[in-house]
Amino acid sequence: MMINRRHFLSAAAIAALPQYAVRWAKAETPVNRALVVVFLRGGMDSLNLLAPVDDPAYLSSRPPALRVAAAGIDRGLSVGMAGSTELLLNPMAKPLHQLWSKGQLALIPAAGLNNATRSHFQAMDLMERGVSTDAGSLPREGWLTRLVRGLGHATPGSTLCLGGAMPQSLSLCETALPISDVWDVDWMPSGSIRELLMQMHAGDSALDRASRQAIEATGQLAAKLERKQNHDPMLRDVPAGITYPDHDFGNKLRFLAEMMRVNPDIHLATADLDGWDTHDNQQGRFGPQVATLAASLQAFNDHLDAIGRPTTIVVMSEFGRRIKANESGGTDHGHGGVMMVLGEGVNGGQNYGTWPGLATEQLDQGMDLAVTTDFRNVLATVLKQHGASDSIASVFPGHDAKMINGLFSV
């Protein structure tokens, strides 16, 4: 079997600059709950996922194809009120509505980055660094890297990135391991090759240290995998009654759940779902995207519950999209979005934050859904639940975090 160099090198290269090497602190109290952060890249149109369907401004700004329907066979799914208007979920998000109805999913509309940027690159960079501006001497490493440092999850492979590239949120995190499937874990055919690679990276550079940790992490995970008779790695069947969609995103989450089953040391993971940049033909693209997201999250949540891994799943995107449709059957870069928090202990079945309204005077710059809940407040509330209260100030430097009361029931 060929060695998958792409993932090995990406794991090794994240600490290529020695001055940024992370020093890990041991947490006083071990945290058993895991955190999974899902990033919807491209700017997900929150007003086509979760909408005030009777709002006059909403009705006049978009054609029916880009709205959640208020009536008829395709009527949206009710998730409560926002002021005097009812919020409905896109009907393709039925699995999410089922989680919401069971109290396992909380929705935070009008959440996002308090910054005027509509740039994908800048918005993602700022959010994944846990800041809202580049003013001053703010850190370059990711907010999850600072979280790992605070919690002391220094075991190689205890933090996983599902995909081929390390997200900015984990930049400069020496213990994070990017993997996509079981063969990325089981890529080393013999102990002799492992020893040879360890000798090749016996130096004290950041690259050598990260390389040794990548080798150690894959070895530890590979040792815990179940095996077929020919010694190939195998994954257990998904528990009865759980079905993942036949999609790369669903496959990643299924694989992650299996890794979390075999390795209790995994406390943090990230996964991305691309394809939300719907400048054109949004009608044909958005529904399938929502269906994939909803079915994957429901299966993953139920899978984790079945294997007994308490986990909080946070879903976010770099921004929402403009209230007014464009001339290409799509929507352009906007501002306020929606965040989702689901999993064990979440006080779901309700919405949090403040709905700002869609009248022109209530919009950001007169064009977009305004942000009334800073994304860092949602994340800080999650971190408090995970026993990381003492790390919040360093994870989100310069931000006076406001906890979202009632988001968790335990």
Side-chain angles (χ1 to χ4, degrees), residues 61-402:
S61 296
R62 295 180 171 216
L66 300 187
R67 299 198 309 255
V68 178
I73 190 172
D74 293 325
R75 184 183 189 274
L77 308 164
S78 180
V79 287
M81 304 295 289
S84 60
T85 188
E86 186 178 24
L87 288 179
L88 299 186
L89 270 176
N90 191 298
M92 299 299 287
K94 186 176 180 180
L96 292 181
H97 187 257
Q98 292 171 343
L99 291 173
W100 187 90
S101 299
K102 292 191 296 184
Q104 296 178 324
L105 168 67
L107 300 167
I108 306 96
L113 174 69
N114 278 315
N115 185 296
T117 184
R118 268 70 170 170
S119 160
H120 291 297
F121 176 81
Q122 185 179 29
M124 284 190 286
D125 177 68
L126 292 172
M127 292 183 81
E128 294 198 282
R129 285 164 51 209
V131 298
S132 63
T133 176
D134 267 327
S137 56
L138 292 170
R140 298 304 306 176
E141 78 269 15
W143 73 273
L144 287 174
T145 297
R146 296 192 291 275
L147 174 63
V148 170
R149 180 190 303 149
L151 291 180
H153 294 331
T155 304
S158 62
T159 299
L160 300 183
C161 163
L162 273 292
M166 196 72 71
Q168 178 72 11
S169 58
L170 284 170
S171 63
L172 308 176
C173 181
E174 292 180 334
T175 60
L177 183 67
I179 56 175
S180 294
D181 55 38
V182 71
W183 294 109
D184 289 343
V185 176
D186 200 49
W187 61 272
M188 203 171 292
S190 71
S192 60
I193 291 180
R194 187 184 307 275
E195 290 302 317
L196 176 61
L197 287 172
M198 292 291 274
Q199 292 173 18
M200 289 171 57
H201 295 283
D204 194 41
S205 70
L207 178 61
D208 284 330
R209 292 196 301 272
S211 298
R212 291 196 299 271
Q213 294 218 28
I215 295 167
E216 182 181 352
T218 54
Q220 289 180 358
L221 285 176
K224 295 179 179 181
L225 293 174
E226 296 179 2
R227 301 283 173 173
K228 301 177 183 178
Q229 287 188 341
N230 65 0
H231 203 63
D232 280 350
M234 61 176 287
L235 301 179
R236 283 191 185 178
D237 292 337
V238 175
I242 298 173
T243 302
Y244 285 91
D246 186 15
H247 186 278
D248 180 62
F249 181 65
N251 292 336
K252 286 179 182 178
L253 293 186
R254 176 190 175 186
F255 171 65
L256 175 57
E258 178 68 356
M259 291 300 95
M260 293 172 69
R261 182 187 67 80
V262 301
N263 184 12
D265 291 334
I266 296 173
H267 292 287
L268 176 63
T270 65
D272 292 348
L273 179 58
D274 301 330
W276 299 96
D277 198 12
T278 52
H279 287 285
D280 53 66
N281 188 31
Q282 182 166 316
Q283 179 183 9
R285 299 162 56 193
F286 192 80
Q289 279 281 103
V290 169
T292 294
L293 173 67
S296 298
L297 289 176
Q298 182 187 51
F300 184 54
N301 178 79
D302 293 349
H303 194 167
L304 293 172
D305 183 62
I307 63 176
R309 280 303 310 261
T311 302
T312 304
I313 305 162
V314 179
V315 184
M316 58 197 296
S317 188
E318 66 265 35
F319 45 61
R321 304 191 80 82
R322 196 143 295 176
I323 180 177
K324 187 174 179 59
N326 61 30
E327 296 180 355
S328 299
T331 49
D332 297 325
H333 300 174
H335 193 45
V338 60
M339 293 180 69
M340 295 182 273
V341 182
L342 60 149
E344 185 171 314
V346 173
N347 189 19
Q350 55 188 309
N351 309 316
Y352 294 84
T354 302
W355 181 255
L358 296 180
T360 300
E361 66 274 13
Q362 298 168 323
L363 297 175
D364 182 79
Q365 300 184 16
M367 299 181 294
D368 303 319
L369 177 67
V371 169
T372 58
T373 299
D374 191 300
F375 76 100
R376 292 168 293 182
N377 291 341
V378 179
L379 298 177
T381 306
V382 171
L383 298 194
K384 182 179 179 181
Q385 176 72 5
H386 283 247
S389 295
D390 293 342
S391 299
I392 290 173
S394 59
V395 171
F396 304 114
H399 178 62
D400 182 17
K402 304 294 190 298

